Amino acid sequence: MSRIAYVNGRYVRHADAAVHIEDRGYQFADGVYEVCEVRHGFIVDLSRHLDRLNRSLLELRIAWPMNRAALVVAIREVLRRNRVRNGLFYLQVTRGVARRDHVFPAADTRPSIVITAKSTDPSVIARKNANGIKAITVAENRWDRVDIKTVGLLPNALARQQAKEAGAQEAIFIDANGLVTEGAATNVWMVDQDGTLLTRPSDHGILRGITRTTLMDVAARLRISIREEAFTVERMLAAREVFITAATSICFPLVEIDGHTIANGHPGSISQKIRDAFFDIAEKTSI
Ligand code: PDD
């Protein structure tokens, strides 16, 4: 079975899928994206992901490439054609194709849209959850509108590469005040010594993760106390538990940061409880 991608209204073989060389996504990173998990044949938290897409598009004044209902049809079709039961879809909208010029092109320029989907191996995720993963910290060096989910991810990619070269799986950005912002592609959480769950407020310093939002619902249901509060690296290193969240990984425990062991070096119980309850509480849309 060959992989299929959706590109500007057509379903094409993944190997042949392409956008124009003057697409503004390619030239200026002038576009936004979403990544959404698919589990047991259901799309997880689709409404919240599309609401955030709407916000990102509004912030950049890019038009919707099609209406929301038509977009959902295309997403489902890509998932079906790729036979994804467990995995994800990736959706990207750019300002479209225009002769290279920094200012916005004519208002009638059609936005470009691409949707891809892939299956993931649940056993790889299970292994990471059982063993925990490692992270490094890096200085925050991104622009101050990381709350918009744009495809301008070069600092994130460089940070992830730095983590990989250090034998870790995630890089955590630290702002000029020594406070944790977020991971290269995740939000960061810690459990304080009194059992309170802490995560940075969703101001302009972080992306408001959909997993982060739903995790707050999960914590409320499990009666875990939670506070939106920024924390320092030192406080994080002394935490009972540290974990990261994203649609692709839900909630991975961190057992080592910058070579320091977190707690006893094993994944903690709170992230486990949250992970166990997450799928039941999240919105599920059938494919
Ligand atoms: N990344 N912060 C950043 C910088 C991210 O890129 C992501 C997600 C998150 C978590 O957001 P959510 O819970 O909505 O996935 C936080 C996606 C998965 C990616 O770029 O692949």
Side-chain angles (χ1 to χ4, degrees):
M1 186 196 76
S2 65
R3 278 183 78 191
I4 299 295
Y6 177 88
V7 184
N8 295 324
R10 295 191 314 138
Y11 297 91
V12 295
R13 274 173 28 131
H14 192 273
D16 302 329
V19 291
H20 194 277
I21 55 167
E22 286 199 308
D23 190 281
R24 287 185 61 100
Y26 182 59
Q27 302 241 339
F28 297 110
D30 188 1
V32 301
Y33 76 106
E34 282 295 328
V35 178
C36 203
E37 194 203 6
V38 175
R39 200 197 280 197
H40 309 315
F42 292 94
I43 304 169
V44 180
D45 280 332
L46 180 62
S47 303
R48 282 179 169 165
H49 280 277
L50 294 182
D51 288 349
R52 184 174 62 187
L53 175 67
N54 184 50
R55 177 180 183 275
S56 297
L57 290 170
L58 278 173
E59 289 286 339
L60 297 189
R61 291 190 278 151
I62 298 175
W64 272 73
M66 59 179 81
N67 70 41
R68 189 161 163 149
L71 182 59
V72 172
V73 169
I75 290 168
R76 283 200 167 113
E77 191 58 28
V78 171
L79 290 170
R80 272 200 294 265
R81 289 189 188 215
N82 289 284
R83 301 201 188 129
V84 174
R85 305 290 301 165
N86 289 290
L88 57 86
F89 72 78
Y90 174 86
L91 182 166
Q92 177 174 320
V93 181
T94 75
R95 201 179 303 278
V97 176
R99 201 170 73 167
R100 187 175 185 278
D101 185 353
H102 288 67
V103 298
F104 292 176
D108 62 354
T109 304
R110 266 189 301 127
S112 301
I113 171 151
V114 168
I115 307 170
T116 58
K118 68 175 182 189
S119 297
T120 50
D121 181 354
S123 70
V124 173
I125 294 172
R127 200 161 49 243
K128 286 184 178 169
N129 283 329
N131 301 333
I133 61 171
K134 298 178 186 176
I136 60 166
T137 58
V138 295
E140 181 63 85
N141 62 353
R142 300 174 299 161
W143 73 326
D144 64 3
R145 291 308 310 272
V146 296
D147 60 301
I148 309 172
K149 199 164 172 61
T150 78
V151 296
L153 293 174
L154 183 57
N156 308 60
L158 293 177
R160 264 283 170 95
Q161 180 62 23
Q162 195 180 327
K164 184 179 177 192
E165 288 172 10
Q169 290 78 39
E170 181 56 305
I172 297 174
F173 289 113
I174 310 299
D175 71 14
N177 300 316
L179 298 167
V180 169
T181 55
E182 62 178 337
T186 56
N187 290 121
V188 180
W189 304 72
M190 61 165 274
V191 180
D192 220 346
Q193 289 306 330
D194 66 2
T196 304
L197 199 48
L198 300 179
T199 198
R200 188 181 171 109
S202 56
D203 53 19
H204 282 188
I206 65 166
L207 178 76
R208 188 189 287 241
I210 301 305
T211 318
R212 177 185 180 281
T213 303
T214 299
L215 193 146
M216 288 182 175
D217 296 344
V218 176
R221 198 77 73 83
L222 298 177
R223 298 183 189 288
I224 297 168
S225 71
I226 188 164
R227 227 170 33 232
E228 287 185 82
E229 180 181 305
F231 47 83
T232 61
V233 178
E234 293 72 29
R235 202 167 166 206
M236 174 172 71
L237 295 179
R240 249 207 231 171
E241 279 182 49
V242 182
F243 58 88
I244 53 175
T245 57
T248 42
S249 52
I250 304 301
C251 167
F252 280 151
L254 294 185
V255 294
E256 191 185 300
I257 301 170
D258 287 341
H260 296 268
T261 303
I262 303 301
N264 64 1
H266 296 285
S269 60
I270 292 197
S271 64
Q272 177 72 51
K273 271 189 209 144
I274 288 169
R275 200 160 42 246
D276 292 345
F278 194 93
F279 185 64
D280 287 340
I281 292 167
E283 179 201 36
K284 293 169 280 295
T285 305
S286 63
I287 298 171

PDB file of all heavy atoms in Angstrom, residues 33-59:
ATOM      1  N   TYR A  33       0.483  25.063  11.416  1.00  0.00           N
ATOM      2  CA  TYR A  33       0.259  23.625  11.305  1.00  0.00           C
ATOM      3  C   TYR A  33      -0.422  23.084  12.549  1.00  0.00           C
ATOM      4  O   TYR A  33      -0.529  23.772  13.571  1.00  0.00           O
ATOM      5  CB  TYR A  33       1.581  22.889  11.051  1.00  0.00           C
ATOM      6  CG  TYR A  33       2.483  22.742  12.275  1.00  0.00           C
ATOM      7  CD1 TYR A  33       2.623  21.517  12.919  1.00  0.00           C
ATOM      8  CD2 TYR A  33       3.185  23.825  12.786  1.00  0.00           C
ATOM      9  CE1 TYR A  33       3.456  21.370  14.028  1.00  0.00           C
ATOM     10  CE2 TYR A  33       4.010  23.688  13.895  1.00  0.00           C
ATOM     11  CZ  TYR A  33       4.143  22.462  14.505  1.00  0.00           C
ATOM     12  OH  TYR A  33       4.950  22.326  15.611  1.00  0.00           O
ATOM     13  N   GLU A  34      -0.867  21.846  12.447  1.00  0.00           N
ATOM     14  CA  GLU A  34      -1.398  21.095  13.578  1.00  0.00           C
ATOM     15  C   GLU A  34      -0.937  19.651  13.460  1.00  0.00           C
ATOM     16  O   GLU A  34      -0.773  19.129  12.350  1.00  0.00           O
ATOM     17  CB  GLU A  34      -2.941  21.115  13.608  1.00  0.00           C
ATOM     18  CG  GLU A  34      -3.544  22.400  14.134  1.00  0.00           C
ATOM     19  CD  GLU A  34      -3.214  22.666  15.602  1.00  0.00           C
ATOM     20  OE1 GLU A  34      -3.078  21.708  16.392  1.00  0.00           O
ATOM     21  OE2 GLU A  34      -3.080  23.853  15.958  1.00  0.00           O
ATOM     22  N   VAL A  35      -0.720  19.016  14.586  1.00  0.00           N
ATOM     23  CA  VAL A  35      -0.450  17.578  14.642  1.00  0.00           C
ATOM     24  C   VAL A  35      -1.462  16.998  15.617  1.00  0.00           C
ATOM     25  O   VAL A  35      -1.607  17.506  16.724  1.00  0.00           O
ATOM     26  CB  VAL A  35       0.973  17.275  15.171  1.00  0.00           C
ATOM     27  CG1 VAL A  35       1.197  15.771  15.261  1.00  0.00           C
ATOM     28  CG2 VAL A  35       2.035  17.927  14.301  1.00  0.00           C
ATOM     29  N   CYS A  36      -2.140  15.959  15.199  1.00  0.00           N
ATOM     30  CA  CYS A  36      -3.228  15.420  16.020  1.00  0.00           C
ATOM     31  C   CYS A  36      -3.050  13.910  16.133  1.00  0.00           C
ATOM     32  O   CYS A  36      -2.772  13.233  15.139  1.00  0.00           O
ATOM     33  CB  CYS A  36      -4.529  15.763  15.311  1.00  0.00           C
ATOM     34  SG  CYS A  36      -5.967  15.804  16.329  1.00  0.00           S
ATOM     35  N   GLU A  37      -3.247  13.405  17.336  1.00  0.00           N
ATOM     36  CA  GLU A  37      -3.073  11.972  17.552  1.00  0.00           C
ATOM     37  C   GLU A  37      -4.289  11.175  17.084  1.00  0.00           C
ATOM     38  O   GLU A  37      -5.423  11.649  17.166  1.00  0.00           O
ATOM     39  CB  GLU A  37      -2.859  11.694  19.050  1.00  0.00           C
ATOM     40  CG  GLU A  37      -2.341  10.305  19.300  1.00  0.00           C
ATOM     41  CD  GLU A  37      -2.610   9.767  20.705  1.00  0.00           C
ATOM     42  OE1 GLU A  37      -3.306  10.418  21.495  1.00  0.00           O
ATOM     43  OE2 GLU A  37      -2.128   8.656  20.975  1.00  0.00           O
ATOM     44  N   VAL A  38      -4.023   9.966  16.605  1.00  0.00           N
ATOM     45  CA  VAL A  38      -5.096   9.016  16.295  1.00  0.00           C
ATOM     46  C   VAL A  38      -4.845   7.780  17.144  1.00  0.00           C
ATOM     47  O   VAL A  38      -3.724   7.264  17.172  1.00  0.00           O
ATOM     48  CB  VAL A  38      -5.064   8.624  14.797  1.00  0.00           C
ATOM     49  CG1 VAL A  38      -6.103   7.551  14.502  1.00  0.00           C
ATOM     50  CG2 VAL A  38      -5.283   9.853  13.939  1.00  0.00           C
ATOM     51  N   ARG A  39      -5.873   7.378  17.895  1.00  0.00           N
ATOM     52  CA  ARG A  39      -5.680   6.196  18.743  1.00  0.00           C
ATOM     53  C   ARG A  39      -6.897   5.285  18.656  1.00  0.00           C
ATOM     54  O   ARG A  39      -8.028   5.760  18.718  1.00  0.00           O
ATOM     55  CB  ARG A  39      -5.478   6.634  20.198  1.00  0.00           C
ATOM     56  CG  ARG A  39      -4.788   5.510  20.987  1.00  0.00           C
ATOM     57  CD  ARG A  39      -4.927   5.689  22.459  1.00  0.00           C
ATOM     58  NE  ARG A  39      -3.976   6.666  22.987  1.00  0.00           N
ATOM     59  CZ  ARG A  39      -3.685   6.738  24.278  1.00  0.00           C
ATOM     60  NH1 ARG A  39      -4.234   5.917  25.137  1.00  0.00           N
ATOM     61  NH2 ARG A  39      -2.845   7.644  24.714  1.00  0.00           N
ATOM     62  N   HIS A  40      -6.641   4.004  18.465  1.00  0.00           N
ATOM     63  CA  HIS A  40      -7.716   2.997  18.348  1.00  0.00           C
ATOM     64  C   HIS A  40      -8.775   3.429  17.332  1.00  0.00           C
ATOM     65  O   HIS A  40      -9.972   3.224  17.540  1.00  0.00           O
ATOM     66  CB  HIS A  40      -8.393   2.756  19.699  1.00  0.00           C
ATOM     67  CG  HIS A  40      -7.436   2.473  20.816  1.00  0.00           C
ATOM     68  ND1 HIS A  40      -6.377   1.607  20.683  1.00  0.00           N
ATOM     69  CD2 HIS A  40      -7.379   2.955  22.083  1.00  0.00           C
ATOM     70  CE1 HIS A  40      -5.695   1.561  21.823  1.00  0.00           C
ATOM     71  NE2 HIS A  40      -6.276   2.378  22.683  1.00  0.00           N
ATOM     72  N   GLY A  41      -8.353   4.095  16.270  1.00  0.00           N
ATOM     73  CA  GLY A  41      -9.301   4.492  15.220  1.00  0.00           C
ATOM     74  C   GLY A  41     -10.080   5.765  15.512  1.00  0.00           C
ATOM     75  O   GLY A  41     -11.031   6.080  14.797  1.00  0.00           O
ATOM     76  N   PHE A  42      -9.689   6.500  16.537  1.00  0.00           N
ATOM     77  CA  PHE A  42     -10.345   7.775  16.851  1.00  0.00           C
ATOM     78  C   PHE A  42      -9.342   8.926  16.790  1.00  0.00           C
ATOM     79  O   PHE A  42      -8.196   8.775  17.241  1.00  0.00           O
ATOM     80  CB  PHE A  42     -10.950   7.751  18.266  1.00  0.00           C
ATOM     81  CG  PHE A  42     -12.106   6.806  18.413  1.00  0.00           C
ATOM     82  CD1 PHE A  42     -11.899   5.512  18.871  1.00  0.00           C
ATOM     83  CD2 PHE A  42     -13.391   7.207  18.075  1.00  0.00           C
ATOM     84  CE1 PHE A  42     -12.963   4.628  19.003  1.00  0.00           C
ATOM     85  CE2 PHE A  42     -14.465   6.334  18.206  1.00  0.00           C
ATOM     86  CZ  PHE A  42     -14.249   5.044  18.673  1.00  0.00           C
ATOM     87  N   ILE A  43      -9.797  10.061  16.261  1.00  0.00           N
ATOM     88  CA  ILE A  43      -8.978  11.273  16.297  1.00  0.00           C
ATOM     89  C   ILE A  43      -9.153  11.883  17.684  1.00  0.00           C
ATOM     90  O   ILE A  43     -10.282  12.030  18.167  1.00  0.00           O
ATOM     91  CB  ILE A  43      -9.433  12.279  15.225  1.00  0.00           C
ATOM     92  CG1 ILE A  43      -9.411  11.624  13.833  1.00  0.00           C
ATOM     93  CG2 ILE A  43      -8.566  13.532  15.247  1.00  0.00           C
ATOM     94  CD1 ILE A  43     -10.091  12.466  12.746  1.00  0.00           C
ATOM     95  N   VAL A  44      -8.042  12.214  18.344  1.00  0.00           N
ATOM     96  CA  VAL A  44      -8.097  12.704  19.719  1.00  0.00           C
ATOM     97  C   VAL A  44      -8.125  14.243  19.733  1.00  0.00           C
ATOM     98  O   VAL A  44      -7.254  14.884  19.140  1.00  0.00           O
ATOM     99  CB  VAL A  44      -6.869  12.180  20.522  1.00  0.00           C
ATOM    100  CG1 VAL A  44      -6.909  12.679  21.956  1.00  0.00           C
ATOM    101  CG2 VAL A  44      -6.822  10.650  20.487  1.00  0.00           C
ATOM    102  N   ASP A  45      -9.139  14.805  20.395  1.00  0.00           N
ATOM    103  CA  ASP A  45      -9.223  16.261  20.605  1.00  0.00           C
ATOM    104  C   ASP A  45      -9.255  17.070  19.304  1.00  0.00           C
ATOM    105  O   ASP A  45      -8.648  18.154  19.219  1.00  0.00           O
ATOM    106  CB  ASP A  45      -8.031  16.747  21.458  1.00  0.00           C
ATOM    107  CG  ASP A  45      -8.251  16.477  22.944  1.00  0.00           C
ATOM    108  OD1 ASP A  45      -9.413  16.433  23.379  1.00  0.00           O
ATOM    109  OD2 ASP A  45      -7.242  16.327  23.659  1.00  0.00           O
ATOM    110  N   LEU A  46      -9.976  16.560  18.309  1.00  0.00           N
ATOM    111  CA  LEU A  46     -10.010  17.247  17.009  1.00  0.00           C
ATOM    112  C   LEU A  46     -10.544  18.681  17.125  1.00  0.00           C
ATOM    113  O   LEU A  46      -9.988  19.607  16.535  1.00  0.00           O
ATOM    114  CB  LEU A  46     -10.860  16.439  16.009  1.00  0.00           C
ATOM    115  CG  LEU A  46     -10.986  17.047  14.616  1.00  0.00           C
ATOM    116  CD1 LEU A  46      -9.623  17.163  13.934  1.00  0.00           C
ATOM    117  CD2 LEU A  46     -11.933  16.216  13.742  1.00  0.00           C
ATOM    118  N   SER A  47     -11.622  18.884  17.908  1.00  0.00           N
ATOM    119  CA  SER A  47     -12.223  20.229  17.983  1.00  0.00           C
ATOM    120  C   SER A  47     -11.216  21.243  18.515  1.00  0.00           C
ATOM    121  O   SER A  47     -11.100  22.357  17.986  1.00  0.00           O
ATOM    122  CB  SER A  47     -13.454  20.237  18.889  1.00  0.00           C
ATOM    123  OG  SER A  47     -14.383  19.307  18.431  1.00  0.00           O
ATOM    124  N   ARG A  48     -10.513  20.856  19.567  1.00  0.00           N
ATOM    125  CA  ARG A  48      -9.543  21.799  20.138  1.00  0.00           C
ATOM    126  C   ARG A  48      -8.405  22.086  19.166  1.00  0.00           C
ATOM    127  O   ARG A  48      -7.913  23.218  19.095  1.00  0.00           O
ATOM    128  CB  ARG A  48      -8.995  21.253  21.464  1.00  0.00           C
ATOM    129  CG  ARG A  48      -9.967  21.440  22.611  1.00  0.00           C
ATOM    130  CD  ARG A  48      -9.460  20.877  23.923  1.00  0.00           C
ATOM    131  NE  ARG A  48     -10.332  21.326  25.011  1.00  0.00           N
ATOM    132  CZ  ARG A  48     -10.356  20.796  26.222  1.00  0.00           C
ATOM    133  NH1 ARG A  48      -9.555  19.791  26.530  1.00  0.00           N
ATOM    134  NH2 ARG A  48     -11.167  21.268  27.133  1.00  0.00           N
ATOM    135  N   HIS A  49      -7.970  21.069  18.416  1.00  0.00           N
ATOM    136  CA  HIS A  49      -6.898  21.308  17.439  1.00  0.00           C
ATOM    137  C   HIS A  49      -7.382  22.261  16.335  1.00  0.00           C
ATOM    138  O   HIS A  49      -6.644  23.148  15.913  1.00  0.00           O
ATOM    139  CB  HIS A  49      -6.402  19.985  16.842  1.00  0.00           C
ATOM    140  CG  HIS A  49      -5.446  19.257  17.732  1.00  0.00           C
ATOM    141  ND1 HIS A  49      -4.106  19.545  17.783  1.00  0.00           N
ATOM    142  CD2 HIS A  49      -5.638  18.282  18.648  1.00  0.00           C
ATOM    143  CE1 HIS A  49      -3.504  18.775  18.670  1.00  0.00           C
ATOM    144  NE2 HIS A  49      -4.417  17.986  19.213  1.00  0.00           N
ATOM    145  N   LEU A  50      -8.626  22.085  15.880  1.00  0.00           N
ATOM    146  CA  LEU A  50      -9.126  22.960  14.811  1.00  0.00           C
ATOM    147  C   LEU A  50      -9.404  24.361  15.337  1.00  0.00           C
ATOM    148  O   LEU A  50      -9.229  25.350  14.612  1.00  0.00           O
ATOM    149  CB  LEU A  50     -10.365  22.343  14.147  1.00  0.00           C
ATOM    150  CG  LEU A  50     -10.098  21.032  13.388  1.00  0.00           C
ATOM    151  CD1 LEU A  50     -11.367  20.528  12.723  1.00  0.00           C
ATOM    152  CD2 LEU A  50      -8.984  21.190  12.351  1.00  0.00           C
ATOM    153  N   ASP A  51      -9.796  24.464  16.608  1.00  0.00           N
ATOM    154  CA  ASP A  51      -9.968  25.804  17.207  1.00  0.00           C
ATOM    155  C   ASP A  51      -8.620  26.535  17.261  1.00  0.00           C
ATOM    156  O   ASP A  51      -8.530  27.730  17.006  1.00  0.00           O
ATOM    157  CB  ASP A  51     -10.531  25.693  18.634  1.00  0.00           C
ATOM    158  CG  ASP A  51     -11.994  25.263  18.642  1.00  0.00           C
ATOM    159  OD1 ASP A  51     -12.617  25.257  17.567  1.00  0.00           O
ATOM    160  OD2 ASP A  51     -12.497  24.909  19.731  1.00  0.00           O
ATOM    161  N   ARG A  52      -7.570  25.772  17.623  1.00  0.00           N
ATOM    162  CA  ARG A  52      -6.246  26.414  17.681  1.00  0.00           C
ATOM    163  C   ARG A  52      -5.764  26.775  16.277  1.00  0.00           C
ATOM    164  O   ARG A  52      -5.148  27.839  16.076  1.00  0.00           O
ATOM    165  CB  ARG A  52      -5.224  25.508  18.379  1.00  0.00           C
ATOM    166  CG  ARG A  52      -3.870  26.205  18.544  1.00  0.00           C
ATOM    167  CD  ARG A  52      -2.885  25.398  19.366  1.00  0.00           C
ATOM    168  NE  ARG A  52      -2.571  24.132  18.747  1.00  0.00           N
ATOM    169  CZ  ARG A  52      -1.842  23.177  19.317  1.00  0.00           C
ATOM    170  NH1 ARG A  52      -1.354  23.359  20.541  1.00  0.00           N
ATOM    171  NH2 ARG A  52      -1.593  22.043  18.701  1.00  0.00           N
ATOM    172  N   LEU A  53      -6.062  25.912  15.297  1.00  0.00           N
ATOM    173  CA  LEU A  53      -5.712  26.250  13.903  1.00  0.00           C
ATOM    174  C   LEU A  53      -6.377  27.562  13.515  1.00  0.00           C
ATOM    175  O   LEU A  53      -5.746  28.442  12.915  1.00  0.00           O
ATOM    176  CB  LEU A  53      -6.167  25.119  12.967  1.00  0.00           C
ATOM    177  CG  LEU A  53      -5.974  25.385  11.477  1.00  0.00           C
ATOM    178  CD1 LEU A  53      -4.489  25.440  11.114  1.00  0.00           C
ATOM    179  CD2 LEU A  53      -6.672  24.314  10.629  1.00  0.00           C
ATOM    180  N   ASN A  54      -7.634  27.714  13.884  1.00  0.00           N
ATOM    181  CA  ASN A  54      -8.369  28.939  13.577  1.00  0.00           C
ATOM    182  C   ASN A  54      -7.674  30.154  14.195  1.00  0.00           C
ATOM    183  O   ASN A  54      -7.489  31.186  13.552  1.00  0.00           O
ATOM    184  CB  ASN A  54      -9.800  28.804  14.114  1.00  0.00           C
ATOM    185  CG  ASN A  54     -10.647  29.998  13.738  1.00  0.00           C
ATOM    186  OD1 ASN A  54     -10.679  30.396  12.577  1.00  0.00           O
ATOM    187  ND2 ASN A  54     -11.304  30.602  14.715  1.00  0.00           N
ATOM    188  N   ARG A  55      -7.245  29.998  15.436  1.00  0.00           N
ATOM    189  CA  ARG A  55      -6.561  31.101  16.127  1.00  0.00           C
ATOM    190  C   ARG A  55      -5.244  31.442  15.413  1.00  0.00           C
ATOM    191  O   ARG A  55      -4.945  32.624  15.169  1.00  0.00           O
ATOM    192  CB  ARG A  55      -6.298  30.722  17.585  1.00  0.00           C
ATOM    193  CG  ARG A  55      -5.529  31.789  18.331  1.00  0.00           C
ATOM    194  CD  ARG A  55      -5.259  31.409  19.783  1.00  0.00           C
ATOM    195  NE  ARG A  55      -4.580  32.501  20.452  1.00  0.00           N
ATOM    196  CZ  ARG A  55      -3.267  32.703  20.430  1.00  0.00           C
ATOM    197  NH1 ARG A  55      -2.475  31.884  19.757  1.00  0.00           N
ATOM    198  NH2 ARG A  55      -2.731  33.728  21.058  1.00  0.00           N
ATOM    199  N   SER A  56      -4.456  30.412  15.081  1.00  0.00           N
ATOM    200  CA  SER A  56      -3.171  30.646  14.404  1.00  0.00           C
ATOM    201  C   SER A  56      -3.398  31.380  13.079  1.00  0.00           C
ATOM    202  O   SER A  56      -2.684  32.338  12.749  1.00  0.00           O
ATOM    203  CB  SER A  56      -2.459  29.317  14.122  1.00  0.00           C
ATOM    204  OG  SER A  56      -2.137  28.634  15.306  1.00  0.00           O
ATOM    205  N   LEU A  57      -4.412  30.926  12.311  1.00  0.00           N
ATOM    206  CA  LEU A  57      -4.701  31.553  11.013  1.00  0.00           C
ATOM    207  C   LEU A  57      -5.118  33.009  11.197  1.00  0.00           C
ATOM    208  O   LEU A  57      -4.657  33.892  10.464  1.00  0.00           O
ATOM    209  CB  LEU A  57      -5.799  30.765  10.279  1.00  0.00           C
ATOM    210  CG  LEU A  57      -5.389  29.376   9.770  1.00  0.00           C
ATOM    211  CD1 LEU A  57      -6.617  28.599   9.292  1.00  0.00           C
ATOM    212  CD2 LEU A  57      -4.364  29.474   8.640  1.00  0.00           C
ATOM    213  N   LEU A  58      -5.969  33.256  12.206  1.00  0.00           N
ATOM    214  CA  LEU A  58      -6.411  34.628  12.462  1.00  0.00           C
ATOM    215  C   LEU A  58      -5.239  35.532  12.831  1.00  0.00           C
ATOM    216  O   LEU A  58      -5.126  36.658  12.354  1.00  0.00           O
ATOM    217  CB  LEU A  58      -7.427  34.645  13.611  1.00  0.00           C
ATOM    218  CG  LEU A  58      -8.874  34.315  13.272  1.00  0.00           C
ATOM    219  CD1 LEU A  58      -9.702  34.216  14.549  1.00  0.00           C
ATOM    220  CD2 LEU A  58      -9.452  35.382  12.345  1.00  0.00           C
ATOM    221  N   GLU A  59      -4.350  35.009  13.702  1.00  0.00           N
ATOM    222  CA  GLU A  59      -3.202  35.803  14.148  1.00  0.00           C
ATOM    223  C   GLU A  59      -2.327  36.215  12.971  1.00  0.00           C
ATOM    224  O   GLU A  59      -1.745  37.297  12.967  1.00  0.00           O
ATOM    225  CB  GLU A  59      -2.357  35.020  15.162  1.00  0.00           C
ATOM    226  CG  GLU A  59      -3.013  34.827  16.523  1.00  0.00           C
ATOM    227  CD  GLU A  59      -3.038  36.106  17.367  1.00  0.00           C
ATOM    228  OE1 GLU A  59      -2.242  37.021  17.101  1.00  0.00           O
ATOM    229  OE2 GLU A  59      -3.885  36.170  18.276  1.00  0.00           O
TER     230      GLU A  59
END
